[in-house]
Amino acid sequence: MIGVKPKLAVVHGTSCSNFSYIVGYRTAKELAEKYDIVYWRGVVDKGLDALKEIEGVDIGIYVGAVKTNRDLEKLLLLRRKARRLVAYGTCAVYGGLYGLAALHQLNQGSGGSGENKLGLLKVIKPVSSVVEVDILVPGCPPSDELVEKMLKALMEGDSSKKLIAGDRSLCSVCPRKPGSSDTIEMPGLKRLHEAIPDEGKCFLLQGIPCLGPVTAAGCNLECIRKNTPCAGCMGPARGVEDMGLRYISAIASILLVSKEKQLMPPGLSKEMDKLPELTSILYKYTLPTSKLFKLNLKRRGIE
Amino acid sequence: MKTLYIDPVPRIDGDSRLLIEIDEGGVIKKVEYQTLGINNFYHALKNRLIEEIPRIITALCGSLSYSHYIASTIATENILGREPPEYAVALRALAVYTEVIEDHIRSFYTKVLPKHMGSIDISSIPDYAINMLEYLRGIKQVIGGKPIHPVFAIPGGVSRSLVKEELDKLKKLVNDLGTYIERYRSDVRKFYEELLYTKELREYSARTYNISLVNGDKPSYIGGRLVILDPNGNSLTIGLSEYSKYIEYRYTPSSTTRIAYLREKGWHGYTEETVVRTGALARVNIASSYTSREALEERNELVETYGSLPVHSIFFSPWAQLVDVLEAYSRIRGSIDRLENLEASIANLEGLLSTNGIGIVDSPRGLIIHNYSVNDNLLVNEIDITTATEINIAALNTDLNKYGIGKKYTEKLLSTLYQIIYFYSPCSTGSIGR
C-alpha cells in the first residue's frame, strides 16, 4: 500500500543500553522516518500497552539477553506481534557477557516461580532457544557494516540469510594472518597483562590467546586494529559448534609443537596452568550456548 | 488512595518505572523511581582473570562503557602496581572527556529538550544535535575502536599509540564538534530563560550532600581527591582509597538498585540534609576553578542565578552539564596537543603486586568506583562497583517527593517529574548484586 509505512517495534531485554544509542542516533532517526514506530523505548514515549494493543507489526527487533521473567514476557509478546523477528547483538544471539553469570543463575534463578524478587530465570537463554527468529545479528555491538546489512535485508524483505555475520573465521580476514612460510607454533602461553603485543604479528604466534580461529568474521576487526586479541564477540565461525572445545583443540595442535617431545604431557599441562581460569577466555560471550553448559542443564533435567 | 505505575519511564536506559500514589482528591502523596533491571554482574566477574575484567565490565552500562572501562583498568593496574606513562594517561583522559560531552549532549537533546517542547518522539531532535552525537561517536571509535565497549587500554597503559591518520581524523572530528558547541550553549541558555520563568521553579531546592573528584580546586574526571560537601557548604577532602569509610549501602525491596548513603549520617529515607548528589551539579558545587574560561563564566553565572553556594536545585543540572561540556571540550583539545607532543610510550608493565585495587572515574553522571580483590593466581575473588545511579537514587527520589507531594497530579506535573529523572540521567539496569 503506497504511503503506509511498515510498522516497527524495538524491545529491550537485559541490555547494556538503548538500541538508539547502540546503532547511533542518525540511524535511529532514519529508522523513525522510514517506519511507523509502534514501540521503542527512547525513541517514542509509548508504553508496552501500545504493542500489546496493536494487531501486529511488520518487524520486531529484540535487543539484549533473555535473563529475567520480564525479558521473557516481552520477547514472547514481540514474537506474537512481529511478522519478522530480529535478535540483535551477541546478548540476544548467544547470551553475551551476561551469560558469564549463567552457572550462578542456574543455582539461584527462580525458574519463574515469582518467589524470587529479582525475577531471574533459571537459565539465561539465547532468543532463538525461546522463539523462532528470522534474522540474527551478532556483535558486541554489531559493526556498522552488519547494521547496514540488517537494515537492507529488512527493507527488501530478504529472508535468504538468517545469520548476518561473516562466512569465514576471523583469522581468514585478519591482516596478521601468518604467511604460508611461517611456522605456526604458539611459543607458550601468556596472560593478557603480561605482554605488549607486537602490532604486526599474529597473537597466537606471540603466545597470546586470541579467539580468531573459532570466531565468525564480520566485526570490522576493531579489536585486532587496537592491538587487542579477538575475544569471540561475533560468536562461532561456520562449522564451529562449541567455541571453547574447538579452541582447545586448535591450541593443542600448535602449542609448543617443536618442544612437544621434550615436554611430554606433564610439561604441556604445566604450560596450560598458566591460565588458571578459562571460561572468560573461551566462552566470554557464548557460555549459555556452549555444549558444556547444555550438558549441565541436561544433568539437572532442565530443558 | 490510588497507586499509578508509569512503566516504563520513557527514554531511560534500562527498565524502570515511576510509582505515584494519589489520594481521592487527585493530590500526590508519594512518588518513587524504581529500577527493574538486573545485571547480576558480580557473578559474571567472580573468579575471572583480573586482566579480562575491564573488557567484561563494559557491558555493565553501554552508555558509560568508556568510563567503566577506564575505572576498571585503573583498579586492575593498581592491583598490578603499575604506573601508566603520560601518553596512556592522556589518551584515557581524552576518552572520558569525550564521554562526558556525549552523555550530556545526549541527555539534553534526546530527553530534556524534547520533553520541554512537548515532543513525544525522536523527530524533534535537531540535525545539528545528531551531527554532534555522530562526531562524538566517531571520536570514541578512533580512541577505543568501537563506539561502545572500548578495547584500547591495558593494565599499565594503552594497547597502542594513535597513528598520524588517526590523530588527524580526531582533530577534524573535534573541530567539527566545536562548530556546534556555541549553538548548544545558546540552546541551554534559552532553555533556562523559559524554564526559570516561573517563580516556583526559580525558588525550588532540596538540600543535599555533594560528592565529586577534584584536582586542586578544579573538577577532575579521573584521579585526584574525593570531596564530600555538606548541605551548608563545608567540605571534607579524602583520599580515593578512603571512600569505603564514608559510603554505606542498603537495598530496598522496591528497586534493583542498591542505595548508597553516607555512613556518618545514617539512612533516613528520602530526606533532605542526608542524601547525596553526584555528577555535574556536584562538580559545580565543589570545583571553583576551570581550565576553560567559558566554563568558569557559565559556572559563576549559574551560581549567581541560583543565588548561593551550594546550588541545591536539580533544575540547574542541564546548566551544570553545559559547564562540564565546555570544560571537557577545552581539555580534549589539550589532550590532543599532549598526544601529539608526548613520546608514544604506551605502557609500563613493571610494578609490585597487591591484593586490592580501586579505580574511580567521575563520569558524566557522577562517581563510579570499582574495587577488586584478587587471590594468588590473580583471579578476582571480591568485587564491588559503586555506580553514579546508586549514589544519586536517594537524592533523585528526595527531589521527586519534594517537588511532587502535595501537588495535584496532572500531565504537566508528570512531565516535570520526568525532567527531574532526566536531570539525574539514571541507569536502571540495577546493581551488580552478590
Side-chain angles (χ1 to χ4, degrees):
Chain A
M1 212 188 306
I2 296 167
V4 176
K5 293 179 182 178
K7 290 185 169 52
L8 170 70
V10 178
V11 165
H12 296 83
T14 298
S15 66
C16 67
S17 190
N18 201 308
F19 185 60
S20 51
Y21 178 66
I22 299 171
V23 293
Y25 279 89
R26 179 162 292 155
T27 303
K29 201 172 176 183
E30 281 168 12
L31 280 170
E33 281 160 9
K34 283 179 189 157
Y35 291 90
D36 173 9
I37 310 294
V38 173
Y39 177 76
W40 181 351
R41 187 191 67 208
V43 165
V44 287
D45 292 357
K46 291 180 187 169
L48 208 54
D49 285 346
L51 182 59
K52 285 178 185 161
E53 284 158 15
I54 202 159
E55 197 178 322
V57 294
D58 297 282
I59 295 159
I61 300 178
Y62 183 89
V63 184
V66 189
K67 188 172 170 166
T68 66
N69 290 315
R70 193 175 157 97
D71 295 342
L72 183 61
E73 283 166 20
K74 285 195 287 187
L75 172 61
L76 294 173
L77 170 69
L78 185 63
R79 178 65 282 187
R80 278 200 306 277
K81 300 287 181 177
R83 199 166 57 78
R84 302 182 76 203
L85 179 69
V86 180
Y88 183 86
T90 289
C91 294
V93 180
Y94 300 111
L97 291 162
Y98 299 104
L100 279 172
L103 285 170
H104 174 82
Q105 193 156 331
L106 199 52
N107 296 325
Q108 298 295 313
S110 67
S113 72
E115 291 299 312
N116 185 329
K117 69 169 180 155
L118 298 178
L120 282 173
L121 293 167
K122 218 165 181 54
V123 182
I124 297 175
K125 297 165 195 260
V127 171
S128 58
S129 78
V130 183
V131 293
E132 188 68 33
V133 182
D134 300 291
I135 296 178
L136 299 139
V137 191
C140 186
S143 65
D144 292 347
E145 193 188 327
L146 293 190
V147 172
E148 212 169 290
K149 282 184 182 169
M150 172 191 84
L151 296 177
K152 196 163 174 277
L154 289 175
M155 287 306 281
E156 292 169 0
D158 179 8
S159 55
S160 59
K161 196 167 182 190
K162 194 167 176 174
L163 178 68
I164 299 189
D167 290 328
R168 297 185 291 167
S169 75
L170 188 79
C171 277
S172 65
V173 295
C174 181
R176 299 181 182 216
K177 187 164 56 178
S180 53
S181 59
D182 293 340
T183 310
I184 313 288
E185 175 169 359
M186 212 172 172
L189 283 170
K190 282 182 190 149
R191 285 177 64 172
L192 198 52
H193 66 281
E194 292 172 336
I196 302 171
D198 177 338
E199 284 186 45
K201 199 172 170 185
C202 170
F203 289 103
L204 296 176
L205 301 190
Q206 302 179 62
I208 299 167
C210 171
L211 260 69
V214 295
T215 302
C219 62
N220 208 20
L221 296 159
E222 289 101 341
C223 300
I224 306 293
R225 287 184 219 281
K226 281 291 170 193
N227 202 21
T228 305
C230 170
C233 84
M234 282 294 293
R238 183 178 286 183
V240 174
E241 198 184 344
D242 183 292
M243 290 180 86
L245 295 178
R246 178 66 76 87
Y247 191 70
I248 287 175
S249 158
I251 293 301
S253 64
I254 59 168
L255 180 65
L256 292 164
V257 275
S258 64
K259 298 187 181 111
E260 212 168 8
K261 283 183 183 154
Q262 295 125 275
L263 290 167
M264 305 293 281
L268 288 170
S269 168
K270 203 172 163 195
E271 193 63 28
M272 282 302 289
D273 287 346
K274 285 185 180 171
L275 298 177
E277 184 266 323
L278 287 170
T279 313
S280 64
I281 294 179
L282 303 178
Y283 298 110
K284 195 179 263 122
Y285 298 91
T286 58
L287 188 60
T289 54
S290 69
K291 263 191 162 179
L292 293 176
F293 186 69
K294 285 176 186 164
L295 209 62
N296 206 318
L297 293 183
K298 202 173 170 188
R299 222 174 34 212
R300 294 172 190 232
I302 299 170
E303 282 300 309
Chain B
M1 193 76 78
K2 194 165 85 175
T3 303
L4 297 177
Y5 283 103
I6 315 290
D7 181 4
V9 177
R11 298 171 191 241
I12 292 294
D13 296 329
D15 276 347
S16 60
R17 67 183 180 183
L18 192 61
L19 170 148
I20 304 175
E21 285 180 5
I22 303 167
D23 71 10
E24 291 72 17
V27 174
I28 294 176
K29 293 291 169 193
K30 182 186 172 184
V31 188
E32 188 174 33
Y33 174 77
Q34 302 174 341
T35 65
L36 303 170
I38 309 163
N39 66 57
N40 213 24
F41 248 73
Y42 179 83
H43 303 287
L45 299 169
K46 193 165 164 73
N47 294 324
R48 305 291 175 218
L49 303 168
I50 181 70
E51 66 274 20
E52 297 292 339
I53 302 297
R55 202 163 178 180
I56 300 170
I57 205 65
T58 61
L60 182 65
C61 174
S63 303
L64 299 185
S65 66
Y66 275 64
S67 300
H68 276 291
Y69 181 68
I70 298 299
S72 180
T73 302
I74 293 170
T76 304
E77 77 193 358
N78 283 339
I79 285 173
L80 297 169
R82 296 175 180 174
E83 198 66 48
E86 273 188 74
Y87 184 91
V89 171
L91 191 56
R92 292 178 190 183
L94 179 60
V96 174
Y97 301 149
T98 305
E99 193 151 272
V100 167
I101 298 178
E102 184 192 45
D103 200 60
H104 290 341
I105 296 283
R106 183 180 165 215
S107 170
F108 186 69
Y109 285 112
T110 72
K111 297 174 193 156
V112 174
L113 201 55
K115 182 53 70 187
H116 179 63
M117 290 159 62
S119 164
I120 61 144
D121 62 32
I122 199 170
S123 63
S124 62
I125 302 174
D127 286 342
Y128 60 87
I130 300 272
N131 288 344
M132 289 173 95
L133 291 169
E134 287 298 316
Y135 296 145
L136 288 155
R137 188 177 169 87
I139 294 168
K140 278 185 156 182
Q141 279 174 292
V142 174
I143 301 167
K146 308 191 221 177
I148 57 174
H149 312 319
V151 281
F152 74 102
I154 58 173
V158 288
S159 57
R160 71 164 172 81
S161 57
L162 297 179
V163 296
K164 188 181 175 304
E165 293 73 33
E166 288 170 317
L167 269 171
D168 289 345
K169 190 174 177 188
L170 202 55
K171 279 193 277 187
K172 181 169 183 337
L173 286 163
V174 169
N175 284 337
D176 289 346
L177 175 68
T179 59
Y180 292 116
I181 294 282
E182 274 306 312
R183 183 77 185 261
Y184 160 65
R185 192 175 176 182
S186 91
D187 285 347
V188 174
R189 297 305 293 261
K190 191 162 167 273
F191 170 72
Y192 272 92
E193 282 163 22
E194 292 169 17
L195 180 81
L196 299 177
Y197 184 73
T198 62
K199 187 169 179 288
E200 181 207 12
L201 289 188
R202 269 202 314 274
E203 292 179 354
Y204 174 83
S205 73
R207 289 166 57 84
T208 72
Y209 280 75
N210 290 267
I211 187 166
S212 78
L213 282 181
V214 288
N215 193 348
D217 50 7
K218 286 183 178 157
S220 174
Y221 302 89
I222 315 179
R225 308 268 290 168
L226 270 173
V227 172
I228 301 171
L229 190 75
D230 78 14
N232 295 318
N234 304 307
S235 65
L236 173 71
T237 304
I238 59 172
L240 300 185
S241 59
E242 292 178 286
Y243 85 91
S244 57
K245 288 185 201 160
Y246 295 87
I247 297 178
E248 188 56 88
Y249 309 88
R250 71 188 303 279
Y251 280 94
T252 164
S254 58
S255 209
T256 55
T257 297
R258 186 177 66 164
I259 300 172
Y261 63 94
L262 292 173
R263 193 186 292 268
E264 198 184 295
K265 292 301 293 182
W267 174 248
H268 301 280
Y270 305 140
T271 55
E272 285 187 79
E273 309 281 346
T274 66
V275 297
V276 192
R277 287 191 186 114
T278 187
L281 193 62
R283 283 189 282 267
V284 154
N285 282 331
I286 289 170
S288 56
S289 166
Y290 291 80
T291 307
S292 152
R293 183 176 50 80
E294 290 88 355
L296 181 63
E297 282 169 10
E298 288 292 345
R299 187 262 186 184
N300 289 344
E301 203 171 330
L302 183 165
V303 174
E304 204 179 301
T305 306
Y306 177 75
S308 60
L309 257 178
V311 176
H312 284 305
S313 169
I314 195 62
F315 288 98
F316 283 79
S317 184
W319 199 343
Q321 291 174 356
L322 166 65
V323 175
D324 261 344
V325 168
L326 295 171
E327 178 69 3
Y329 186 73
S330 156
R331 291 190 190 195
I332 280 182
R333 288 190 171 283
S335 296
I336 292 175
D337 285 346
R338 289 180 70 203
L339 289 172
E340 279 192 306
N341 295 313
L342 280 168
E343 185 197 342
S345 165
I346 57 169
N348 164 33
L349 302 190
E350 302 298 316
L352 286 174
L353 289 179
S354 75
T355 54
N356 177 259
I358 294 169
I360 303 187
V361 166
D362 205 352
S363 78
R365 301 177 189 184
L367 287 180
I368 51 180
I369 305 169
H370 287 234
N371 188 342
Y372 312 144
S373 296
V374 292
N375 67 13
D376 291 345
N377 282 327
L378 292 178
L379 296 178
V380 179
N381 58 17
E382 203 43 71
I383 314 115
D384 193 69
I385 297 174
T386 306
T387 65
T389 301
E390 287 182 342
I391 299 172
N392 274 328
I393 197 157
L396 161 57
N397 277 310
T398 304
D399 269 314
L400 289 173
N401 279 301
K402 174 139 192 202
Y403 185 79
I405 289 176
K407 291 195 175 75
K408 197 127 181 149
Y409 177 74
T410 60
E411 279 302 311
K412 189 165 178 285
L413 184 103
L414 179 63
S415 184
T416 308
L417 296 180
Y418 281 158
Q419 287 289 32
I420 290 172
I421 298 170
Y422 297 159
F423 294 158
Y424 280 99
S425 266
C427 174
S428 52
T429 51
S431 296
I432 67 161
R434 182 155 301 216

